[in-house]
């Protein structure tokens, strides 16, 4: 398995992965309308391009010439010495094989090299991924509800892992 930093010309790969992963990840906890709204809000080409320009680094995970997942992170989030993992998604058929853990460790090493002291992320309170993060030494640090427009909110835990 290899990780590479995604270029602007690879944003379509991230879009394709999100389209394949999001329905499985969220269909039991979000309405189809909210899923569609969030996909457009977070994964349209313009949105992804904006994220790249705002210090988000996208990683692509590849195995045997196939892209199997992606992550995005931001060093020194909001002028802190913490790295925020904004996204971490793996295709359903490769979940449980260590891909997500390897992505976290890869981001963690980058964070350490940049003198960051922790990884932080938000996860939906009802997403089973919360257990994955707890298993990977993240702790629940806070909870928050974020208005994302159109009458929708993100009801999340903020999780943190000291590094």
């Amino acid at each position: 398995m290899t990780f590479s930093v995604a270029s602007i010309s690879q944003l379509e790969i991230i879009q394709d992965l999100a389209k394949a992963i999001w329905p499985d990840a969220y269909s039991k906890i979000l309405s189809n309308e909210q899923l569609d709204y969030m996909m457009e809000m977070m994964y349209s080409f313009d949105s992804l391009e904006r994220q790249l320009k705002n210090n988000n680094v996208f990683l692509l995970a590849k195995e045997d010439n196939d892209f199997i997942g992606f992550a995005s992170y931001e060093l020194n989030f909001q002028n802190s010495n913490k790295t925020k993992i904004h996204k971490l998604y793996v295709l359903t058929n490769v979940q449980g094989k260590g891909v997500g853990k390897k992505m976290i460790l890869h981001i963690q090493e980058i964070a350490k090299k940049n003198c960051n002291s922790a990884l932080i992320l938000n996860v939906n309170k009802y997403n089973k991924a919360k257990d994955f993060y707890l298993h990977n030494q993240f702790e629940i640090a806070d909870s928050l509800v974020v208005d994302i427009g159109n009458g929708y909110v993100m009801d999340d835990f903020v999780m943190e892992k000291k590094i």
Side-chain angles (χ1 to χ4, degrees), residues 116-146:
N116 281 202
S117 63
L119 301 177
I120 57 172
L121 57 83
N122 293 5
V123 63
N124 183 289
K125 290 176 183 172
Y126 306 102
N127 189 331
K128 64 183 178 180
K130 174 185 58 122
D131 296 328
F132 164 77
Y133 294 121
L134 289 169
H135 181 75
N136 282 280
Q137 290 77 50
F138 282 83
E139 296 178 354
I140 296 172
D142 201 358
S143 67
L144 57 98
V145 176
V146 178

Side-chain angles (χ1 to χ4, degrees), residues 60-75:
L60 288 167
K62 191 174 190 180
E63 187 172 64
D64 299 328
N65 294 320
D66 293 320
F67 291 103
I68 58 173
F70 69 96
S72 77
Y73 65 90
E74 181 180 352
L75 295 167

